[in-house]
Amino acid sequence: YSMYEDFADIGKIKDTRERVLQLCTTIRKLPLVNYTTLKFMVAHFVAVSRHKQQNTMDSNQLAKVFATT
């Protein structure tokens, strides 16, 4: 949880370009095991959303389900 505030602060950035830059910078600071887990999860979400016609799980639906966990 040591980086929770860093990620929470990124959500407050209004400028999209700056928000993406800060997100990338912060992700690079993650410990390797956390980075690897995040990379795996994002790849899984991309794979699921590619089949949105069959499973109705587009990126918005995935965000609703997983943002609360």
Side-chain angles (χ1 to χ4, degrees):
Y1 296 99
S2 65
M3 296 180 69
Y4 177 83
E5 289 297 324
D6 297 335
F7 282 102
D9 290 343
I10 292 168
K12 299 172 188 172
I13 299 171
K14 301 284 186 209
D15 182 68
T16 302
R17 182 177 171 82
E18 180 61 24
R19 191 169 56 248
V20 170
L21 288 172
Q22 287 300 317
L23 182 60
C24 290
T25 299
T26 304
I27 287 172
R28 284 189 207 105
K29 293 178 184 176
L30 285 170
L32 182 58
V33 67
N34 299 87
Y35 175 82
T36 304
T37 301
L38 177 62
K39 186 177 174 180
F40 177 84
M41 290 176 65
V42 169
H44 176 69
F45 295 152
V46 168
V48 169
S49 69
R50 283 189 181 140
H51 299 283
K52 64 184 175 192
Q53 297 296 346
Q54 294 82 22
N55 63 26
T56 67
M57 293 298 286
D58 61 14
S59 59
N60 288 326
Q61 294 291 63
L62 286 167
K64 288 176 189 174
V65 172
F66 288 98
T68 58
T69 59

